Amino acid sequence: MNVFRLAGDMSHLLAIIILLLKIWKTRSCAGISGRSQLLFALTYTARYLDLVTNWVSLYNTVMKVFFIATSYATIYLMYLKFKATYDSNHDTFRVEFLLLPVTILALVLNHEFSFMEILWTFSIYLEAVAILPQLFMVSKTGEAESITSHYLFALGSYRLLYIFNWIWRYYTEEYYDLIAIIAGVVQTVLYCDFFYLYFTKVLKGKKLQLPA
Amino acid sequence: DDDAPKKDEL
């Protein structure tokens, strides 16, 4: 554990808390992509099956349980409790265009051809692109509420901080995992355009609005 | 498998 890794995890935690609070307080999930949230739930389910086979630490277990539980809680709020506020007309990204290539890639490019390892690899590749339906939704509607922007910023920062963590680990432990690193870089790059808008607009008190 | 990379990250 190093400071970048901890900051990354805290940023991830914060993103989820912001999202759940936004939905709960406003009693609405307007502007949030249910498809991205489904992909995140699938990501954590596939990755954290090792909860039962691989004990790392109490921290690790608590975080994994939190990520799985909150991803399903988000889906419950969006598709059941506050379904009437879900903006499904704008949430139209075709997820099969992500799931199919990600599945094939996980079967071909992995560390070991075993059930758990392929599920882990699948989750790493899927997480990298899971935010695309959400970013597509923002570009389709041309805007995002400030709270949604803060959520996206915290979520994007998480993988960026993990990249610093991987650089740190490479120099201090000679540890590196190419699959995680490459997917993590792709994931972070997808946020670059959003980061730019966040710094130039949202932080100056303006709403995130794309040019028409 | 001991050679499998240890998954200590989240």
Side-chain angles (χ1 to χ4, degrees), chain A residues 65-109:
Chain A
V65 170
F66 181 85
F67 290 143
I68 293 178
T70 50
S71 68
Y72 284 98
T74 308
I75 287 171
Y76 164 74
L77 292 179
M78 291 195 72
Y79 287 95
L80 294 164
K81 193 164 176 66
F82 301 124
K83 189 179 174 36
T85 64
Y86 169 44
D87 217 355
S88 60
N89 314 346
H90 290 126
D91 192 16
T92 52
F93 192 95
R94 300 279 295 272
V95 291
E96 57 271 37
F97 291 151
L98 300 178
L99 285 171
L100 198 67
V102 158
T103 307
I104 294 169
L105 206 59
L107 288 169
V108 176
L109 275 180

Coordinates of all heavy atoms in Angstrom, one line a residue, chain A residues 65-109:
Chain A
V65 N -16.3 -6.0 -0.7 CA -17.7 -6.2 -0.3 C -18.5 -4.9 -0.6 O -19.6 -4.8 -1.1 CB -17.9 -6.6 1.1 CG1 -19.3 -6.6 1.6 CG2 -17.3 -8.0 1.3
F66 N -17.8 -3.7 -0.2 CA -18.5 -2.4 -0.4 C -18.7 -2.2 -1.9 O -19.8 -1.7 -2.3 CB -17.6 -1.3 0.2 CG -18.1 0.1 0.0 CD1 -19.0 0.6 1.0 CD2 -17.8 0.8 -1.1 CE1 -19.6 1.8 0.8 CE2 -18.4 2.1 -1.2 CZ -19.2 2.6 -0.3
F67 N -17.7 -2.4 -2.7 CA -17.9 -2.2 -4.2 C -19.0 -3.0 -4.8 O -19.8 -2.6 -5.6 CB -16.6 -2.3 -4.9 CG -15.6 -1.3 -4.6 CD1 -14.2 -1.6 -4.5 CD2 -16.0 0.1 -4.4 CE1 -13.3 -0.6 -4.2 CE2 -15.0 1.1 -4.1 CZ -13.7 0.7 -4.0
I68 N -19.0 -4.3 -4.4 CA -20.1 -5.2 -4.9 C -21.5 -4.7 -4.4 O -22.4 -4.5 -5.2 CB -19.8 -6.7 -4.6 CG1 -18.6 -7.2 -5.2 CG2 -21.0 -7.5 -4.9 CD1 -18.2 -8.6 -4.9
A69 N -21.6 -4.5 -3.1 CA -22.9 -4.2 -2.5 C -23.4 -2.8 -3.1 O -24.6 -2.7 -3.5 CB -22.7 -4.1 -1.0
T70 N -22.5 -1.8 -3.2 CA -23.0 -0.5 -3.7 C -23.3 -0.6 -5.2 O -24.2 0.2 -5.6 CB -22.0 0.6 -3.4 OG1 -20.7 0.2 -3.9 CG2 -21.9 1.0 -1.9
S71 N -22.7 -1.4 -5.9 CA -23.0 -1.5 -7.4 C -24.4 -2.0 -7.5 O -25.1 -1.6 -8.4 CB -21.9 -2.2 -8.2 OG -21.9 -3.6 -7.8
Y72 N -24.7 -3.0 -6.7 CA -26.1 -3.6 -6.8 C -27.1 -2.6 -6.2 O -28.3 -2.5 -6.7 CB -26.2 -5.0 -6.2 CG -25.6 -6.0 -7.1 CD1 -24.2 -6.4 -6.9 CD2 -26.3 -6.5 -8.2 CE1 -23.7 -7.3 -7.8 CE2 -25.7 -7.4 -9.1 CZ -24.4 -7.8 -8.9 OH -23.8 -8.7 -9.8
A73 N -26.7 -1.9 -5.2 CA -27.6 -0.9 -4.6 C -28.0 0.2 -5.6 O -29.1 0.6 -5.7 CB -27.0 -0.3 -3.3
T74 N -27.0 0.6 -6.4 CA -27.2 1.6 -7.4 C -28.2 1.1 -8.4 O -29.1 1.8 -8.8 CB -25.9 2.0 -8.1 OG1 -24.9 2.3 -7.1 CG2 -26.0 3.2 -9.0
I75 N -28.0 -0.1 -8.8 CA -28.9 -0.7 -9.8 C -30.3 -0.8 -9.3 O -31.3 -0.5 -10.0 CB -28.4 -2.1 -10.3 CG1 -27.1 -1.9 -11.2 CG2 -29.4 -2.9 -11.0 CD1 -26.4 -3.1 -11.5
Y76 N -30.4 -1.2 -8.0 CA -31.8 -1.3 -7.4 C -32.4 0.1 -7.4 O -33.6 0.2 -7.8 CB -31.6 -1.8 -5.9 CG -32.8 -1.5 -5.1 CD1 -34.0 -2.3 -5.3 CD2 -32.8 -0.5 -4.2 CE1 -35.1 -2.0 -4.5 CE2 -34.0 -0.2 -3.4 CZ -35.1 -1.0 -3.6 OH -36.2 -0.7 -2.8
L77 N -31.7 1.1 -7.0 CA -32.2 2.5 -7.0 C -32.7 3.0 -8.4 O -33.7 3.6 -8.6 CB -31.2 3.5 -6.4 CG -30.9 3.3 -4.9 CD1 -29.9 4.3 -4.5 CD2 -32.1 3.4 -4.1
M78 N -31.8 2.6 -9.4 CA -32.1 3.1 -10.7 C -33.2 2.4 -11.4 O -34.1 2.9 -12.1 CB -30.8 3.0 -11.6 CG -29.8 4.0 -11.2 SD -28.5 4.1 -12.5 CE -29.4 5.1 -13.7
Y79 N -33.2 1.0 -11.3 CA -34.2 0.2 -12.1 C -35.4 -0.1 -11.3 O -36.4 -0.6 -11.9 CB -33.5 -1.0 -12.6 CG -32.5 -0.7 -13.8 CD1 -31.2 -0.5 -13.5 CD2 -33.0 -0.6 -15.1 CE1 -30.3 -0.2 -14.6 CE2 -32.1 -0.3 -16.1 CZ -30.8 -0.1 -15.9 OH -29.9 0.2 -16.9
L80 N -35.4 0.1 -10.0 CA -36.6 -0.2 -9.2 C -37.2 1.0 -8.5 O -38.2 1.5 -8.8 CB -36.4 -1.4 -8.3 CG -36.1 -2.8 -9.0 CD1 -35.5 -3.8 -8.0 CD2 -37.4 -3.3 -9.6
K81 N -36.4 1.4 -7.5 CA -37.0 2.4 -6.6 C -37.3 3.8 -7.3 O -38.3 4.3 -7.1 CB -36.0 2.7 -5.4 CG -36.7 3.5 -4.3 CD -35.9 3.4 -3.0 CE -36.5 4.2 -1.9 NZ -37.8 3.8 -1.5
F82 N -36.3 4.3 -8.1 CA -36.5 5.6 -8.8 C -36.6 5.4 -10.3 O -36.1 6.2 -11.0 CB -35.4 6.5 -8.4 CG -35.3 6.8 -6.9 CD1 -34.1 6.6 -6.2 CD2 -36.4 7.3 -6.2 CE1 -34.1 6.8 -4.8 CE2 -36.4 7.5 -4.8 CZ -35.2 7.3 -4.1
K83 N -37.1 4.3 -10.7 CA -37.2 3.9 -12.1 C -37.8 5.1 -13.0 O -37.4 5.3 -14.1 CB -38.0 2.7 -12.3 CG -38.0 2.1 -13.7 CD -38.8 0.8 -13.7 CE -39.0 0.2 -15.1 NZ -37.9 0.3 -16.0
A84 N -38.8 5.7 -12.4 CA -39.6 6.8 -13.1 C -38.7 7.9 -13.5 O -38.9 8.7 -14.5 CB -40.7 7.3 -12.3
T85 N -37.5 8.1 -12.8 CA -36.7 9.2 -13.1 C -35.5 8.8 -14.0 O -34.7 9.7 -14.4 CB -36.0 9.8 -11.8 OG1 -35.2 8.8 -11.2 CG2 -37.1 10.2 -10.8
Y86 N -35.4 7.6 -14.3 CA -34.3 7.1 -15.2 C -34.5 7.5 -16.6 O -35.6 7.2 -17.2 CB -34.2 5.5 -15.0 CG -33.3 4.9 -16.0 CD1 -32.0 5.4 -16.3 CD2 -33.7 3.7 -16.6 CE1 -31.2 4.8 -17.2 CE2 -32.8 3.0 -17.5 CZ -31.6 3.6 -17.8 OH -30.8 3.0 -18.7
D87 N -33.5 8.1 -17.1 CA -33.5 8.8 -18.4 C -33.2 7.8 -19.5 O -32.2 7.9 -20.2 CB -32.4 9.8 -18.3 CG -32.7 11.1 -19.0 OD1 -33.7 11.1 -19.7 OD2 -31.8 12.0 -19.0
S88 N -34.0 6.7 -19.7 CA -33.6 5.7 -20.6 C -33.5 6.0 -22.1 O -32.8 5.4 -22.8 CB -34.5 4.4 -20.4 OG -35.8 4.8 -20.7
N89 N -34.3 7.1 -22.5 CA -34.2 7.5 -23.9 C -32.8 8.0 -24.3 O -32.5 7.9 -25.5 CB -35.1 8.7 -24.2 CG -36.5 8.6 -23.6 OD1 -36.9 7.6 -23.2 ND2 -37.2 9.8 -23.6
H90 N -32.1 8.5 -23.3 CA -30.8 9.0 -23.6 C -29.7 8.0 -23.3 O -28.5 8.3 -23.6 CB -30.5 10.3 -22.9 CG -31.3 11.5 -23.4 ND1 -32.1 12.3 -22.6 CD2 -31.5 11.9 -24.7 CE1 -32.7 13.2 -23.3 NE2 -32.3 13.0 -24.6
D91 N -30.1 6.9 -22.7 CA -29.1 5.9 -22.3 C -29.2 4.7 -23.4 O -29.7 3.7 -23.1 CB -29.4 5.4 -20.9 CG -28.3 4.5 -20.3 OD1 -27.2 4.6 -20.9 OD2 -28.6 3.8 -19.3
T92 N -28.6 5.0 -24.5 CA -28.8 4.1 -25.6 C -27.5 3.4 -26.2 O -27.5 2.9 -27.3 CB -29.5 4.8 -26.8 OG1 -28.8 6.0 -27.1 CG2 -30.9 5.2 -26.4
F93 N -26.4 3.6 -25.5 CA -25.1 3.0 -25.9 C -25.3 1.5 -26.0 O -25.8 0.8 -25.1 CB -24.0 3.4 -25.0 CG -22.6 3.1 -25.5 CD1 -21.9 4.0 -26.1 CD2 -22.1 1.8 -25.3 CE1 -20.6 3.7 -26.6 CE2 -20.8 1.5 -25.8 CZ -20.1 2.5 -26.5
R94 N -24.9 0.9 -27.1 CA -25.0 -0.5 -27.3 C -23.9 -1.3 -26.6 O -22.7 -1.3 -27.1 CB -24.9 -0.9 -28.8 CG -26.0 -0.2 -29.7 CD -27.3 -0.9 -29.6 NE -27.2 -2.2 -30.2 CZ -27.4 -2.5 -31.5 NH1 -27.7 -1.6 -32.3 NH2 -27.2 -3.7 -32.0
V95 N -24.2 -1.8 -25.4 CA -23.2 -2.5 -24.6 C -22.6 -3.7 -25.2 O -21.5 -4.1 -24.8 CB -23.7 -2.7 -23.2 CG1 -23.9 -1.5 -22.4 CG2 -25.0 -3.6 -23.2
E96 N -23.3 -4.3 -26.1 CA -22.8 -5.6 -26.8 C -21.5 -5.2 -27.5 O -20.6 -6.1 -27.7 CB -23.8 -6.3 -27.6 CG -24.4 -5.5 -28.7 CD -25.7 -4.8 -28.3 OE1 -25.7 -4.3 -27.1 OE2 -26.6 -4.7 -29.1
F97 N -21.4 -4.0 -28.0 CA -20.2 -3.5 -28.7 C -19.0 -3.5 -27.8 O -17.8 -3.4 -28.2 CB -20.4 -2.2 -29.4 CG -21.3 -2.2 -30.5 CD1 -22.1 -1.1 -30.9 CD2 -21.5 -3.4 -31.3 CE1 -23.0 -1.1 -31.9 CE2 -22.4 -3.4 -32.4 CZ -23.1 -2.3 -32.7
L98 N -19.3 -3.4 -26.5 CA -18.2 -3.5 -25.5 C -18.0 -4.9 -25.0 O -16.9 -5.4 -24.9 CB -18.5 -2.6 -24.3 CG -18.7 -1.1 -24.6 CD1 -19.0 -0.3 -23.3 CD2 -17.4 -0.5 -25.2
L99 N -19.1 -5.6 -24.6 CA -19.0 -6.9 -24.0 C -18.4 -7.9 -24.9 O -17.5 -8.7 -24.5 CB -20.4 -7.4 -23.6 CG -21.0 -6.7 -22.4 CD1 -22.4 -7.0 -22.2 CD2 -20.2 -7.1 -21.1
L100 N -18.7 -7.9 -26.2 CA -18.2 -8.9 -27.1 C -16.6 -8.8 -27.3 O -15.9 -9.8 -27.0 CB -18.9 -8.8 -28.5 CG -18.7 -10.1 -29.3 CD1 -19.4 -11.3 -28.7 CD2 -19.3 -9.8 -30.7
P101 N -16.1 -7.6 -27.7 CA -14.6 -7.5 -27.8 C -13.9 -7.8 -26.5 O -12.9 -8.4 -26.4 CB -14.4 -6.1 -28.2 CG -15.7 -5.5 -28.6 CD -16.8 -6.4 -28.1
V102 N -14.5 -7.3 -25.4 CA -13.9 -7.5 -24.0 C -13.8 -9.0 -23.7 O -12.8 -9.5 -23.2 CB -14.7 -6.7 -23.0 CG1 -14.4 -7.2 -21.6 CG2 -14.3 -5.2 -23.1
T103 N -14.8 -9.7 -24.0 CA -14.9 -11.2 -23.7 C -13.8 -11.9 -24.5 O -13.0 -12.7 -24.0 CB -16.2 -11.8 -24.0 OG1 -17.2 -11.0 -23.3 CG2 -16.3 -13.2 -23.6
I104 N -13.7 -11.6 -25.8 CA -12.8 -12.2 -26.7 C -11.3 -11.9 -26.3 O -10.5 -12.7 -26.1 CB -13.0 -11.8 -28.2 CG1 -14.3 -12.3 -28.7 CG2 -11.8 -12.2 -29.1 CD1 -14.8 -11.7 -30.0
L105 N -11.1 -10.6 -26.0 CA -9.8 -10.1 -25.5 C -9.4 -10.9 -24.2 O -8.2 -11.3 -24.1 CB -9.8 -8.6 -25.3 CG -8.5 -7.9 -25.4 CD1 -7.9 -8.0 -26.8 CD2 -8.7 -6.4 -25.1
A106 N -10.3 -11.0 -23.3 CA -10.0 -11.7 -22.0 C -9.6 -13.2 -22.3 O -8.8 -13.7 -21.6 CB -11.2 -11.6 -21.1
L107 N -10.3 -13.8 -23.3 CA -10.0 -15.2 -23.6 C -8.6 -15.4 -24.3 O -8.0 -16.4 -24.2 CB -11.1 -15.8 -24.5 CG -12.4 -16.0 -23.8 CD1 -13.5 -16.3 -24.8 CD2 -12.3 -17.2 -22.8
V108 N -8.2 -14.3 -25.0 CA -7.0 -14.4 -25.8 C -5.8 -13.8 -25.0 O -4.7 -14.5 -24.9 CB -7.1 -13.6 -27.1 CG1 -5.8 -13.6 -27.9 CG2 -8.3 -14.3 -27.9
L109 N -6.0 -12.6 -24.4 CA -4.8 -12.0 -23.7 C -5.0 -12.1 -22.2 O -5.7 -11.2 -21.6 CB -4.8 -10.5 -24.1 CG -4.0 -10.2 -25.4 CD1 -4.1 -8.7 -25.7 CD2 -2.6 -10.6 -25.3

